[in-house]
Amino acid sequence: MTKHVVVIGGGYGGLRAIEFLHKYEDVHVTLIDKNPYHYLQTEAYGYIAGRFDLHDVAINLSSWCTGFKDRVNFIHEEVKLIDFEKQSVSLNKTDIFYDYLIIATGAETNFFSFIDGLKEHSLGIKDLQRAHSFRQKFEDLIYKKLLATKESDEDEINIVIGGAGLSGVEVAAEMAHVIQVHTKTIGEAAKDLKIYLIDASDTILPGMGKYTITNTHKRLEKLDIKILTNTFINNLDESFIYFKDAQKLKYSFMVFTGGIKASTLNSSIESEKNKVDQFIPDSQLNIQGKKNVFALGDCVEIKDNNGNILPPTAQIAEKSAEYAAKTIRQRIDGHKSKPFNGKVEGVFVALGGNYAVGEMFGFIKVKGYKAYLLKKAITSAYHFGLRLRINTGFKNRIKN
Ligand SMILES: Cc1cc2nc3c(=O)[nH]c(=O)nc-3n(C[C@H](O)[C@H](O)[C@H](O)COP(=O)(O)OP(=O)(O)OC[C@H]3O[C@@H](n4cnc5c(N)ncnc54)[C@H](O)[C@@H]3O)c2cc1C
């Protein structure tokens, strides 16, 4: 008998789960997402700085699903309610019943409420709309500098990135690199655009390896980025960022990457959660005490075998998705499953232009163009897989 698996969230986790589930002949999948597209957040830094185009960071989910013939269907709608007793997901006009449910709704920027004005005066990059608006603001500034004459020239313009984790560092580096390149083409005025990277921790990239931190730091300094660690933002108004030590910084715009919280669907579900509303699942990624409900990716707090919390990455979202899909297969077949055992294999940090730094498997350590090529190989393979699925869908449509 065919089993119906409903996947909520077409992000890195949701799509990887479907790639595995569709191999099972007796499984039909419904994907539900509040957006009509899959957003490649890992490429956001390049989109913001104008290095990538929209088609590099967004993939239409309906087209992608047609690549599975009629085995996977897509519903574009935001899920607000799940009835775990009835095993149904409530949508506006109908209820969708499931045998197995995967919640892969990701996370959003946590604009900490204790920083007055943060939400009103800064942008996040966890959703495409905000990233798009950040790109436009950055482009506007470059354009302004292109038109600048000596007489009209004003003071320095400060762009601030709050949060020096992976995403903040990547965005800062790519913008700074673009500014350096533009200084050669549009003129010295571009030099007035200054990038600040601010973090409350005592280091950039907290939690990452020493090699990555040291070499990233060197690269950011070379790109003329002002790095302010141990720096606590107190509040913001339209023009200034005020710090806890009574200093202030005039700014043009700020992007905040300093924290995440689980997507809002989590708040409607009764289950054990941490401070940022992520589910705390059991060892087999089940929530609600239900063996047919899985939660994975950024909406969940996932630990490794030693009890350390794993960072919210696409890598872990995908691994947890593969695990959930395989476990569903085992449950259908009446087999037992081992606990989820995830670990981060490595991270590459894009640092502007053709430069990256990264570590893999604990012993591969690379920087510069070589690291950039490795990072590019990983992201190109991912993009190629998505496009291949879409092309299959188009061929199917032409045949029918
Ligand atoms: C700038 C940047 C750079 C990054 N670089 C890296 C990197 O180099 N390597 C790495 O491994 N990770 C990186 N990450 C982290 C990575 O992008 C996330 O960890 C990953 O996206 C998590 O995948 P996910 O499937 O859990 O959630 P997401 O990819 O966020 O997908 C969640 C999906 O759920 C949908 N959704 C949410 N709520 C609902 C609802 N109620 N109803 C229906 N749909 C809903 C959303 O529309 C979205 O499509 C980076 C992130 C950023 C922002």
Side-chain angles (χ1 to χ4, degrees):
M1 206 180 78
T2 301
K3 298 287 182 192
H4 187 209
V5 181
V6 173
V7 177
I8 310 174
Y12 289 85
L15 297 198
R16 180 55 66 100
I18 294 171
E19 281 290 353
F20 271 70
L21 289 166
H22 100 279
K23 294 176 193 158
Y24 312 142
E25 293 281 320
D26 54 349
V27 167
H28 181 85
V29 181
T30 298
L31 169 65
I32 309 172
D33 200 293
K34 63 180 177 181
N35 290 315
Y37 52 78
H38 166 61
Y39 168 39
L40 286 88
Q41 291 173 45
T42 54
E43 310 300 287
Y45 69 93
Y47 182 62
I48 287 163
R51 183 187 176 106
F52 303 140
D53 289 317
L54 196 56
H55 61 84
D56 297 310
V57 294
I59 291 285
N60 182 272
L61 281 172
S62 187
S63 305
W64 183 79
C65 286
T66 56
F68 298 93
K69 300 189 180 159
D70 48 6
R71 305 276 309 285
V72 180
N73 65 303
F74 175 61
I75 300 174
H76 172 200
E77 201 170 317
E78 179 168 0
V79 174
K80 293 193 177 137
L81 203 66
I82 301 167
D83 188 327
F84 293 98
E85 290 314 314
K86 285 191 192 152
Q87 298 197 178
S88 74
V89 175
S90 314
L91 299 180
N92 269 340
K93 291 197 178 131
T94 178
D95 290 342
I96 308 278
F97 292 87
Y98 61 82
D99 296 299
Y100 292 90
L101 177 67
I102 294 181
I103 302 173
T105 43
E108 51 194 57
T109 304
N110 194 353
F111 295 99
F112 302 122
S113 54
F114 56 83
I115 303 180
D116 212 20
L118 182 64
K119 193 161 187 185
E120 295 76 17
H121 301 298
S122 70
L123 298 162
I125 46 173
K126 291 287 291 174
D127 68 79
L128 183 59
Q129 212 184 345
R130 281 175 187 264
H132 185 66
S133 123
F134 186 18
R135 175 189 169 108
Q136 284 171 330
K137 279 180 189 282
F138 184 54
E139 240 171 31
D140 285 349
L141 287 182
I142 301 261
Y143 182 64
K144 202 172 159 188
K145 286 293 157 191
L146 177 70
L147 302 182
T149 60
K150 272 217 159 105
E151 296 75 51
S152 71
D153 225 2
E154 51 174 306
D155 296 344
E156 286 180 0
I157 295 179
N158 299 326
I159 299 169
V160 177
I161 316 293
L166 175 62
S167 48
V169 162
E170 288 192 329
V171 173
E174 199 60 48
M175 285 198 300
H177 179 259
V178 166
I179 291 168
Q180 277 196 354
V181 171
H182 277 301
T183 305
K184 291 183 196 141
T185 53
I186 70 169
E188 290 290 306
K191 266 194 183 159
D192 294 340
L193 299 175
K194 299 284 178 208
I195 311 282
Y196 280 79
L197 184 62
I198 299 178
D199 204 293
S201 308
D202 56 2
T203 174
I204 57 162
L205 300 175
M208 287 206 189
K210 201 173 165 213
Y211 176 87
T212 303
I213 293 177
T214 311
N215 288 295
T216 299
H217 211 282
K218 281 186 195 158
R219 171 72 175 169
L220 297 181
E221 279 177 342
K222 232 179 172 174
L223 289 168
D224 204 21
I225 293 172
K226 317 272 173 246
I227 304 167
L228 306 180
T229 45
N230 275 322
T231 303
F232 297 84
I233 298 173
N234 192 60
N235 63 300
L236 284 82
D237 63 24
E238 269 169 26
S239 318
F240 287 95
I241 297 172
Y242 300 89
F243 300 107
K244 285 245 153 75
D245 62 2
Q247 300 288 320
K248 62 179 183 176
L249 176 69
K250 190 166 190 263
Y251 76 109
S252 170
F253 66 90
M254 170 165 171
V255 65
F256 189 69
T257 63
I260 60 160
K261 61 177 181 189
S263 72
T264 48
L265 180 64
N266 280 32
S267 58
S268 72
I269 298 171
E270 270 182 43
S271 200
E272 201 187 344
K273 287 177 226 162
N274 65 14
K275 275 187 201 153
V276 289
D277 227 15
Q278 288 170 311
F279 296 121
I280 300 178
D282 67 17
S283 64
Q284 300 189 342
L285 303 185
N286 294 124
I287 61 154
Q288 268 265 330
K290 300 210 167 6
K291 289 291 167 201
N292 63 341
V293 180
F294 294 82
L296 51 90
D298 281 6
C299 69
V300 191
E301 176 184 290
I302 303 181
K303 288 187 176 142
D304 67 12
N305 270 351
N306 302 319
N308 303 312
I309 296 174
L310 293 166
T313 58
Q315 208 179 116
I316 294 299
E318 290 182 341
K319 280 188 180 180
S320 53
E322 286 169 24
Y323 171 85
K326 285 179 187 165
T327 305
I328 287 175
R329 175 75 267 163
Q330 287 159 349
R331 300 255 159 94
I332 293 172
D333 296 339
H335 298 151
K336 283 194 170 161
S337 311
K338 285 185 183 155
F340 176 63
N341 175 17
K343 63 171 191 261
V344 181
E345 303 292 1
V347 178
F348 285 91
V349 189
L351 290 172
N354 297 343
Y355 195 102
V357 170
E359 296 178 49
M360 241 172 129
F361 310 126
F363 61 92
I364 299 175
K365 296 178 181 182
V366 260
K367 61 178 177 178
Y369 188 56
K370 248 195 245 169
Y372 162 78
L373 286 180
L374 278 170
K375 174 144 180 125
K376 196 165 167 49
I378 297 166
T379 50
S380 299
Y382 184 73
H383 212 267
F384 178 74
L386 295 174
R387 282 206 312 271
L388 202 65
R389 193 54 75 191
I390 286 178
N391 288 343
T392 312
F394 272 107
K395 278 185 205 146
N396 291 339
R397 269 189 247 169
I398 290 164
K399 263 193 237 158
N400 295 334

